Amino acid sequence: MLNIGDFSKLTHVSVRMLRYYDEHDLLKPDHIDKQSGYRMYSAKQLPELQKIVLLRDLNFSVADIKKLLKNWNDDFLIEQLNNKIFETEQNIRAEKERINRIRSTINDIHKDQIDIHYNVIIKSIPRYNIVSLRKKIPDYSYEGALWYELTNFINREHLDIERRSYNNIAIYHDEGHVDADADVEVAFIVKKLSKNIDHFVFRELESVEQMACMMVYGSYDKLSAAYQSFIYWLDEHSQYKMKGLSRQVTIIGKSDISDPNDYLTEIQIPVQIVQNNTNLF
């Protein structure tokens, strides 16, 4: 039997981490000397420690490691590892998007474009017949998965959708911006309504008499700055206030062109004229 120091040297696991595993009930000492209080470890604990180190290096949490150790079988382990692959891929995608935003910010600094204001026009939007998919997604970056699912449904059902550049509408149903569980609906305009199938809904998208619209050229990273620019527009046009659900219409996107710098998106925010400014408070 080895004391904690010797066990640490031979396993290349620090004393600090061995104590941490003990405190979190992952790997308790095989024996604690009653007189000295020394933690003692044995060779039979080595396989368990190797599992813990492996799972820790794969970025599993303490709670997940406990669950895996209690259910150490091939099927459960493979399922959890596949889940970890998916989670890691999502994290990588999020970090890549963060890098792109950093680079975009650097470019904007060079071009003095951080405070750029977008042109806003007011126009009416007609009523449309749409087929849509509405779900809560982990965050807004998952919107592409909804479009993929809706497109597959349209192709599978051989639906006759309108062939126009504006036929790509995202509707945001949350009252404000949310960091998680975003309520998003994606839709295509169809020539006629049909029967709902599962989560795919055929419905009438209401017309909007006064829609404040902004054209955003470039990658989707620029959308945030465009929304912020709208704050300045509202400040300068106090006769308007926001009313209703905002939309985004992809005019030129990933399916049309490979370079994100050539994307074209229209942000649509419904507004109404304020009869009395005191109504805002």
Side-chain angles (χ1 to χ4, degrees):
M1 197 165 288
L2 302 171
N3 63 39
I4 191 170
D6 291 338
F7 193 66
S8 169
K9 289 178 184 177
L10 296 175
T11 59
H12 291 182
V13 177
S14 70
V15 170
R16 181 182 64 84
M17 289 307 300
L18 289 172
R19 287 175 176 159
Y20 178 83
Y21 297 152
D22 180 9
E23 292 167 2
H24 288 80
D25 297 323
L26 288 177
L27 185 73
K28 308 292 289 185
D30 190 47
H31 173 72
I32 297 180
D33 187 273
K34 292 182 179 179
Q35 292 183 341
S36 64
Y38 288 165
R39 294 174 170 89
M40 308 299 291
Y41 293 83
S42 64
K44 66 182 182 182
Q45 293 180 283
L46 189 57
E48 195 79 350
L49 177 61
Q50 290 172 333
K51 292 176 183 177
I52 293 169
V53 172
L54 170 65
L55 296 173
R56 182 200 67 192
D57 290 343
L58 296 177
N59 204 30
F60 282 96
S61 67
V62 169
D64 289 337
I65 292 174
K66 283 183 181 179
K67 188 187 301 182
L68 282 160
L69 292 177
K70 289 179 181 178
N71 302 276
W72 195 268
N73 63 75
D74 289 352
D75 290 341
F76 184 71
L77 182 59
I78 289 171
E79 177 187 356
Q80 295 304 306
L81 290 172
N82 280 327
N83 290 342
K84 180 58 68 173
I85 289 173
F86 177 78
E87 175 189 320
T88 304
E89 287 175 342
Q90 297 303 316
N91 290 336
I92 290 171
R93 183 176 70 175
E95 290 305 312
K96 284 182 176 179
E97 290 177 354
R98 192 191 307 276
I99 289 172
N100 289 335
R101 289 198 297 271
I102 292 171
R103 287 174 175 161
S104 178
T105 301
I106 292 172
N107 289 334
D108 288 343
I109 290 172
H110 289 317
K111 297 176 182 177
D112 293 325
Q113 289 183 346
I114 288 183
D115 293 328
I116 189 170
H117 287 199
Y118 289 81
N119 184 44
V120 177
I121 63 170
I122 303 294
K123 64 182 180 181
S124 62
I125 303 296
R127 174 191 59 82
Y128 293 123
N129 291 328
I130 61 171
V131 58
S132 74
L133 174 64
R134 177 180 175 181
K135 287 185 177 181
K136 286 197 171 184
I137 53 180
D139 59 60
Y140 296 103
S141 66
Y142 285 75
E143 184 182 311
L146 296 184
W147 284 114
Y148 180 79
E149 193 174 345
L150 179 58
T151 301
N152 283 345
F153 171 76
I154 287 171
N155 292 335
R156 185 177 72 242
E157 299 296 321
H158 305 290
L159 298 181
D160 193 9
I161 64 172
E162 292 283 356
R163 303 296 175 181
R164 62 176 77 178
S165 59
Y166 274 71
N167 192 6
N168 187 321
I169 305 166
I171 306 162
Y172 303 97
H173 289 270
D174 292 298
E175 183 177 347
H177 181 88
V178 296
D179 294 323
D181 295 327
D183 188 355
V184 178
E185 181 180 15
V186 296
F188 286 106
I189 302 170
V190 292
K191 294 185 176 179
K192 64 177 182 179
L193 297 179
S194 186
K195 184 180 179 181
N196 298 341
I197 301 176
D198 298 326
H199 296 292
F200 302 98
V201 175
F202 292 83
R203 71 179 184 89
E204 182 180 284
L205 182 62
E206 64 279 1
S207 61
V208 177
E209 183 179 348
Q210 296 181 106
M211 188 78 87
C213 300
M214 293 175 286
M215 288 292 187
V216 183
Y217 294 89
S219 68
Y220 298 136
D221 293 339
K222 297 184 180 296
L223 294 174
S224 179
Y227 279 105
Q228 292 176 24
S229 175
F230 187 66
I231 297 174
Y232 292 103
W233 185 88
L234 281 174
D235 193 49
E236 295 168 357
H237 299 78
S238 58
Q239 70 270 32
Y240 289 103
K241 72 173 183 178
M242 296 169 58
K243 183 184 180 182
L245 302 176
S246 64
R247 307 175 186 175
Q248 279 177 200
V249 179
T250 299
I251 300 170
I252 301 175
K254 185 183 295 185
S255 61
D256 306 299
I257 200 162
S258 59
D259 187 354
N261 291 315
D262 293 328
Y263 290 173
L264 178 59
T265 308
E266 184 176 66
I267 293 174
Q268 299 181 344
I269 301 174
V271 294
Q272 70 175 22
I273 294 178
V274 180
Q275 299 300 328
N276 187 334
N277 285 344
T278 59
N279 292 337
L280 292 173
F281 303 97

